[in-house]
Amino acid sequence: MTELSNYRNIGIFAHVDAGKTTTTERILKLTGKIHKIGEVHDGAATTDFMEQEQERGITIQSAATTCEWDGHRLNIIDTPGHVDFTIEVYRSLKVLDGGVGVFCASGGVEPQSETNWRYANESEVARIIYVNKLDRIGADFYRVVKQVEDVLAANPLVMVLPIGVEEDLKGMVDLLTRKAWVWDESGDPLNYTLEDVPADMVDIVEEWREKLIETAVEQDDDLMEAYLEGEEPSVDDLKRCIRKGTIALDFFPTYCGSSFKNKGVQLVLDAVVDYLPSPTEVKPQPEVDMEGNETGKFAIVDPDRPLRALAFKIMDDRFGALTFVRIYSGRINKGDTILNTFTGKTERIGRMVVMHADDREEISSAQAGDIIAIVGMKNVQTGHTLADPKDPATLEPMVFPDPVISIAISPKDKAGSEKMGIAISKMVQEDPSFRVETDEESGETIIKGMGELHLDIKVDILKRTHGIDVEVGKPQVAYRETITQRVEDSYTHKKQTGGSGQFAKIDYVIEPGEVNSGFEFESKVTGGNVPREFWPAVEKGFRTSMQEGVLAGFPLLDVKVTLTDGGYHAVDSSAVAYEIAAKGAYRQSVPKAGPQLLEPIMKVDVFTPDDNVGDVIGDLNRRRGMIKSQEPGPTGVRVKADAPLSEMFGYIGDLRTMTSGRGQFSMEFSHYAPCPNNVAEQVIKEVKERDAKK
């Protein structure tokens, strides 16, 4: 077993096309895991093994793989960069201890890198930065470093400087040792020599080395004092300081290279070992009770403590269902019985494997710090905690965003409908941001997701992986409703039949709540006019009614209901009566409260060549977009805007036409905002027509 301090659980994350997967391939080659290098653009990369990934040349699922470097065990997760799959990045960060942020030397800090960086900040994950593709035209290491400071508001600690740029990239100078790593032209990552700093770089190397030392010694007062008195710290002391500051998130050691040309990856691997934390150096995961409140206890990383593990991903492949698990404390042995604290059921551990992208190696036991896959678990889903049945506890669960777009799908023939049901339920388990429901009236299957590409790929998987031919409806936007006025009202529910009747009277205020507050309920009843035990029934009546708005049946958002007074009957009042009264009150009062339709607004980030900026902005304005900013870059302009999702369907085709195929864009959900009247009227009309057909 590897000593815990020699574990590194890391993720590689970045914008689409910055070269994460290629970098992972190089790491596997250098650590002896693969002997032939597969290229992404040939569709042969080891970690991109789904057909959909090979065809589009993008990573969709995070792939986990294990390798060794310098006596350390690295568990690496290659995450996707595309915005519709940020959920994958988010859940990978949740179980990792450190990360490598890859940036493209010519593209710089791109929109997706910002989102991923924000996630990593929220998860408090220590990172090193790797500026890749320095062999590309327009590559500029110093510009990207500046962007990291300006756009990400982060503090990059430059550790190496490139020798040459674009096609003249020869290698890099390690600032700590003042040694130049120079590769020959053979393309073999091992064919390099260590030389002295090139004469024309001596000055710039000393300038950046001084910056490096000044930042590092801030971590240690004694060294800083000595340094101010003119004594230079040793390389070992500097490394110790850099490690401390990296783990504290004070700065991010920054490297550069070209993974494709095999230059510079060794230095990144050394940095992972030297500066990123082992499982024991990361803040331990908090344990929570069944209601999700923190108990004040933590899952301390230690093999001898009770078992705590988090299932963070479920994948279905030809060997059956694989559940990826990060073990925080304790051990898991083959044949153990463990408890799923979410379902309260126990399961027996059958086969356990360590993944190497597509291959697997069977193991009989695993311990705190490991990331493994368990084969054939029945009821475990993403975010569930596996614990010791004798000493159970739950880890903080993951939070997943709500989908913003839905489409109706139906199988082309009868035989497909059963197959489709099974396939979809597997897909929902694998991806928590993908939801499915059946429309009660029409019997249609509605799939919901984070964007057009997300659903596009799901339909593709149904067709190819599961062989089901489906017909796809028009994309539907997830509208919401809210209210704009305060209404004070009263409602009495009275029903007299033989025996005891039903009676409930409530006085209440319905008013617009704070933005993003969802639904709030408060009771100000005094003197027992509505007995305390019936308050939850009133709240439940309102809460369930909120699922269906009065305009077009979309869920109601941001509403506050205050129960002010009411009446009660000693015999005829019951929880059911109050719940019915609340539902009646909702139907009576919400139409008076100025109901309003809300639409999802997306944060859109468009990259366009200089010549087409006018067209792109004009087109976004036509789509009711609000332009937020324009930033000129070396190869074009980035336009940031907020635009309603309903106007953005099929945008990629239009953007390509306007920019002769050179434009790119990404978009993610931002917030809900009121619909203009003409749009609202159209949406309500369409919903009514749809309902009439049913």
Side-chain angles (χ1 to χ4, degrees):
M1 288 307 244
T2 316
E3 175 61 30
L4 264 179
S5 59
N6 292 341
Y7 273 72
R8 296 288 180 275
N9 291 323
I10 60 165
I12 295 185
F13 57 90
H15 186 80
V16 104
D17 253 8
K20 299 177 300 302
T21 304
T22 308
T23 304
T24 308
E25 286 286 307
R26 297 310 185 258
I27 289 175
L28 296 179
K29 170 84 172 87
L30 283 169
T31 55
K33 272 288 180 179
I34 51 176
H35 299 294
K36 174 183 165 296
I37 288 180
E39 294 307 346
V40 175
H41 47 78
D42 303 333
T46 315
T47 49
D48 282 359
F49 50 85
M50 283 169 64
E51 278 178 36
Q52 289 80 1
E53 297 183 306
Q54 290 167 4
E55 226 164 78
R56 291 177 166 84
I58 60 175
T59 305
I60 296 168
Q61 302 183 337
S62 330
T65 180
T66 301
C67 54
E68 303 238 329
W69 179 256
D70 191 16
H72 289 65
R73 177 186 176 124
L74 312 183
N75 291 320
I76 300 174
I77 293 188
D78 175 26
T79 62
H82 205 286
V83 68
D84 286 1
F85 311 106
T86 25
I87 171 105
E88 289 276 343
V89 179
Y90 176 70
R91 64 174 167 189
S92 303
L93 281 168
K94 179 100 179 123
V95 296
L96 295 170
D97 305 324
V100 179
V102 182
F103 296 98
C104 167
S106 62
V109 176
E110 293 169 286
Q112 197 51 50
S113 336
E114 286 179 56
T115 308
N116 292 343
W117 195 264
R118 196 174 69 236
Y119 280 157
N121 284 343
E122 285 168 14
S123 305
E124 297 187 354
V125 172
R127 280 147 281 171
I128 49 184
I129 292 172
Y130 171 52
V131 179
N132 186 22
K133 299 197 176 184
L134 267 181
D135 56 317
R136 289 275 288 273
I137 292 175
D140 183 343
F141 175 64
Y142 301 100
R143 190 186 72 244
V144 180
V145 169
K146 182 95 182 74
Q147 275 187 327
V148 168
E149 290 173 354
D150 297 347
V151 180
L152 302 179
N155 186 5
L157 183 70
V158 175
M159 305 292 293
V160 298
L161 295 182
I163 304 171
V165 74
E166 297 181 3
E167 69 270 20
D168 299 329
L169 177 74
K170 293 187 177 50
M172 37 242 64
V173 175
D174 179 344
L175 293 178
L176 278 181
T177 57
R178 292 192 179 91
K179 282 278 173 250
W181 292 59
V182 180
W183 279 265
D184 65 14
E185 288 312 302
S186 68
D188 184 327
L190 302 174
N191 288 352
Y192 64 89
T193 48
L194 288 180
E195 302 173 6
D196 289 332
V197 177
D200 60 348
M201 284 184 70
V202 171
D203 292 349
I204 189 166
V205 165
E206 288 312 306
E207 179 193 328
W208 281 92
R209 190 168 191 267
E210 200 169 309
K211 279 191 199 171
L212 169 70
I213 296 174
E214 279 170 10
T215 309
V217 293
E218 283 173 8
Q219 300 290 328
D220 182 321
D221 294 345
D222 297 346
L223 283 180
M224 188 159 172
E225 225 163 274
Y227 177 66
L228 291 174
E229 282 163 15
E231 189 183 320
E232 185 171 298
S234 68
V235 169
D236 285 345
D237 278 341
L238 283 173
K239 279 188 167 176
R240 186 171 49 78
C241 288
I242 295 169
R243 180 179 184 88
K244 185 179 164 199
T246 305
I247 293 174
L249 305 185
D250 290 340
F251 46 70
F252 305 94
T254 301
Y255 291 81
C256 64
S258 162
S259 298
F260 182 53
K261 293 275 167 66
N262 286 311
K263 294 174 181 169
V265 181
Q266 285 99 321
L267 290 151
V268 175
L269 277 171
D270 287 342
V272 165
V273 166
D274 286 343
Y275 307 126
L276 287 181
S278 74
T280 51
E281 293 170 297
V282 178
K283 271 192 196 157
Q285 283 281 328
E287 293 179 3
V288 295
D289 59 20
M290 284 331 214
E291 277 72 57
N293 304 312
E294 295 197 3
T295 55
K297 291 189 184 155
F298 291 92
I300 309 285
V301 178
D302 177 351
D304 298 324
R305 292 172 73 102
L307 173 68
R308 307 278 182 263
L310 187 71
F312 67 96
K313 181 180 171 60
I314 289 168
M315 222 167 87
D316 206 69
D317 71 356
R318 54 186 189 277
F319 301 97
L322 286 174
T323 305
F324 282 85
V325 172
R326 160 77 200 259
I327 307 174
Y328 286 103
S329 71
R331 288 189 174 83
I332 296 185
N333 300 307
K334 205 170 162 170
D336 280 0
T337 298
I338 56 169
L339 173 74
N340 175 345
T341 58
F342 186 82
T343 58
K345 296 187 172 139
T346 53
E347 289 205 35
R348 203 159 161 274
I349 300 287
R351 292 167 52 212
M352 296 193 294
V353 292
V354 172
M355 296 296 288
H356 166 57
D358 218 3
D359 298 331
R360 56 208 61 206
E361 165 199 340
E362 294 234 3
I363 51 173
S364 56
S365 76
Q367 63 170 10
D370 278 330
I371 291 180
I372 57 161
I374 301 173
V375 184
M377 296 194 93
K378 299 275 185 302
N379 301 313
V380 177
Q381 291 190 348
T382 302
H384 287 182
T385 302
L386 308 177
D388 184 337
K390 296 190 203 60
D391 184 354
T394 302
L395 298 166
E396 192 178 40
M398 304 181 182
V399 185
F400 298 117
D402 285 330
V404 290
I405 172 174
S406 61
I407 51 176
I409 56 169
S410 54
K412 288 201 172 146
D413 50 30
K414 264 276 184 292
S417 71
E418 216 169 276
K419 270 171 72 181
M420 186 172 92
I422 296 167
I424 283 186
S425 73
K426 279 185 179 171
M427 286 158 64
V428 169
Q429 282 198 319
E430 289 180 12
D431 179 355
S433 62
F434 174 60
R435 317 263 170 93
V436 175
E437 56 188 51
T438 308
D439 188 311
E440 308 279 303
E441 284 127 9
S442 66
E444 282 182 318
T445 302
I446 311 279
I447 57 174
K448 303 179 164 192
M450 303 311 294
E452 258 185 306
L453 178 71
H454 191 191
L455 293 184
D456 198 25
I457 285 184
K458 296 297 180 201
V459 170
D460 205 41
I461 291 174
L462 275 178
K463 286 183 177 162
R464 274 201 274 180
T465 315
H466 300 284
I468 302 159
D469 224 358
V470 293
E471 286 178 5
V472 180
K474 215 173 102 211
Q476 300 294 332
V477 177
Y479 290 99
R480 293 286 182 266
E481 296 182 19
T482 190
I483 55 170
T484 55
Q485 290 153 22
R486 181 176 187 276
V487 172
E488 216 168 308
D489 216 338
S490 171
Y491 187 89
T492 307
H493 167 66
K494 233 191 234 93
K495 190 176 175 192
Q496 201 57 51
T497 47
S500 68
Q502 289 183 346
F503 176 83
K505 174 175 186 285
I506 52 175
D507 298 344
Y508 53 90
V509 174
I510 293 185
E511 58 192 322
E514 295 284 313
V515 175
N516 289 337
S517 60
F519 168 63
E520 280 182 84
F521 177 81
E522 190 186 349
S523 172
K524 291 189 172 164
V525 179
T526 50
N529 290 350
V530 177
R532 187 177 284 270
E533 67 262 29
F534 297 138
W535 295 356
V538 177
E539 178 175 358
K540 186 180 169 198
F542 277 112
R543 190 181 287 278
T544 46
S545 302
M546 296 284 165
Q547 292 308 313
E548 206 166 298
V550 295
L551 288 174
F554 294 108
L556 210 63
L557 285 187
D558 304 342
V559 174
K560 182 173 182 192
V561 175
T562 310
L563 184 61
T564 52
D565 203 0
Y568 135 91
H569 185 285
V571 179
D572 293 352
S573 285
S574 64
V576 175
Y578 279 104
E579 195 179 321
I580 295 171
K583 288 178 175 170
Y586 175 86
R587 286 193 300 274
Q588 167 182 298
S589 303
V590 170
K592 304 182 206 168
Q596 185 179 47
L597 201 63
L598 299 174
E599 60 182 350
I601 303 291
M602 308 300 276
K603 211 161 84 182
V604 184
D605 210 314
V606 187
F607 172 82
T608 160
D610 290 337
D611 312 347
N612 311 106
V613 178
D615 300 344
V616 167
I617 288 182
D619 178 66
L620 282 170
N621 286 331
R622 271 197 299 285
R623 294 171 188 270
R624 300 195 283 124
M626 291 277 298
I627 308 295
K628 286 291 176 66
S629 69
Q630 279 169 261
E631 295 164 20
T635 49
V637 177
R638 265 177 70 184
V639 179
K640 292 187 176 187
D642 284 351
L645 174 63
S646 58
E647 305 284 344
M648 295 301 289
F649 290 135
Y651 181 60
I652 186 70
D654 297 355
L655 179 65
R656 283 189 181 139
T657 314
M658 280 184 291
T659 59
S660 331
R662 288 161 63 207
Q664 287 178 340
F665 87 108
S666 77
M667 115 178 143
E668 60 179 310
F669 172 69
S670 170
H671 60 282
Y672 276 99
C675 270
N677 286 342
N678 57 339
V679 177
E681 281 162 18
Q682 187 58 31
V683 171
I684 293 167
K685 189 171 139 215
E686 279 173 17
V687 169
K688 292 206 166 119
E689 281 168 8
R690 262 212 314 272
D691 290 349
K693 277 185 195 155
K694 290 174 189 171

Coordinates of all heavy atoms in Angstrom, one line a residue, residues 3 46-47 121 218 238 285 330 393 396 421 465 474 547 566 569 643 645-646:
E3 N 2.0 4.9 1.0 CA 1.9 5.7 2.2 C 1.0 6.9 1.9 O 1.1 7.5 0.8 CB 3.3 6.2 2.6 CG 3.4 7.2 3.7 CD 2.9 6.7 5.0 OE1 3.0 5.5 5.2 OE2 2.4 7.5 5.8
T46 N -6.7 7.8 -25.0 CA -7.1 6.7 -24.1 C -8.3 7.1 -23.3 O -9.2 6.3 -23.1 CB -5.9 6.5 -23.1 OG1 -4.7 6.5 -23.9 CG2 -6.1 5.2 -22.4
T47 N -8.3 8.4 -22.7 CA -9.4 8.7 -21.8 C -10.7 9.1 -22.5 O -11.7 9.1 -21.9 CB -9.0 9.8 -20.8 OG1 -8.4 10.9 -21.6 CG2 -8.0 9.3 -19.8
N121 N -12.5 27.4 -6.7 CA -12.4 28.4 -5.6 C -13.4 28.0 -4.5 O -13.1 28.0 -3.3 CB -12.6 29.8 -6.0 CG -11.4 30.4 -6.7 OD1 -10.3 29.9 -6.6 ND2 -11.6 31.5 -7.4
E218 N 7.4 35.0 1.8 CA 6.3 35.5 2.7 C 5.7 34.5 3.6 O 5.0 34.8 4.5 CB 5.2 36.2 1.8 CG 5.6 37.5 1.2 CD 4.6 38.0 0.2 OE1 3.5 37.4 0.1 OE2 4.9 39.1 -0.4
L238 N 12.8 27.0 -0.2 CA 11.9 27.7 -1.2 C 10.7 26.7 -1.5 O 9.5 27.1 -1.5 CB 12.6 28.1 -2.4 CG 13.4 29.4 -2.3 CD1 14.2 29.6 -3.6 CD2 12.5 30.6 -2.0
Q285 N -13.6 16.5 5.1 CA -15.0 16.7 4.8 C -15.9 16.7 6.0 O -15.8 15.9 6.9 CB -15.5 15.5 3.9 CG -15.0 15.5 2.5 CD -15.8 16.4 1.7 OE1 -17.0 16.6 1.9 NE2 -15.2 17.0 0.7
G330 N -11.2 5.2 6.7 CA -11.4 3.7 6.8 C -11.0 2.9 5.7 O -10.2 3.4 4.8
A393 N -22.4 7.7 9.3 CA -22.4 9.2 9.2 C -22.6 9.5 7.8 O -22.3 8.7 6.9 CB -21.1 9.8 9.8
E396 N -21.2 15.6 3.4 CA -22.0 16.7 2.8 C -22.3 16.3 1.4 O -21.4 16.0 0.6 CB -21.0 17.9 2.8 CG -21.7 19.2 2.5 CD -20.7 20.3 2.5 OE1 -19.5 20.2 2.1 OE2 -21.1 21.4 3.0
G421 N -37.1 3.1 -21.9 CA -37.3 3.3 -20.5 C -36.0 2.8 -19.7 O -35.5 3.5 -18.8
T465 N -25.6 4.1 -28.6 CA -25.1 3.1 -27.6 C -26.3 2.1 -27.3 O -26.0 0.9 -27.1 CB -24.8 3.9 -26.3 OG1 -24.0 5.0 -26.7 CG2 -24.0 3.0 -25.4
K474 N -39.6 19.8 -30.5 CA -38.9 21.1 -30.5 C -38.5 21.3 -29.1 O -39.2 21.0 -28.1 CB -40.0 22.1 -30.9 CG -39.4 23.3 -31.7 CD -40.5 24.2 -32.2 CE -40.5 25.4 -31.4 NZ -41.7 26.1 -31.1
Q547 N -46.3 24.6 -7.5 CA -45.8 23.8 -8.6 C -46.5 24.3 -9.9 O -46.0 24.0 -11.0 CB -46.0 22.3 -8.4 CG -45.2 21.7 -7.3 CD -43.7 22.0 -7.4 OE1 -43.1 21.9 -8.5 NE2 -43.1 22.5 -6.4
G566 N -56.9 33.7 11.5 CA -57.8 32.7 10.9 C -58.8 32.2 11.9 O -59.0 32.9 13.0
H569 N -62.3 25.3 14.4 CA -63.5 24.7 15.0 C -63.0 23.5 15.7 O -62.3 22.7 15.2 CB -64.5 24.3 13.9 CG -65.8 23.7 14.4 ND1 -65.9 22.5 14.9 CD2 -67.0 24.3 14.5 CE1 -67.1 22.2 15.3 NE2 -67.8 23.3 15.0
A643 N -28.6 36.8 -22.6 CA -29.7 36.7 -23.6 C -30.7 35.6 -23.2 O -30.3 34.6 -22.5 CB -29.1 36.3 -25.0
L645 N -32.8 32.3 -23.2 CA -32.6 31.0 -23.8 C -33.5 30.8 -25.0 O -33.1 30.2 -26.0 CB -32.8 29.9 -22.7 CG -32.8 28.5 -23.2 CD1 -31.4 28.2 -23.7 CD2 -33.2 27.5 -22.1
S646 N -34.7 31.2 -24.9 CA -35.7 30.9 -26.0 C -35.2 31.5 -27.3 O -35.6 31.0 -28.4 CB -37.0 31.5 -25.6 OG -36.9 32.9 -25.5

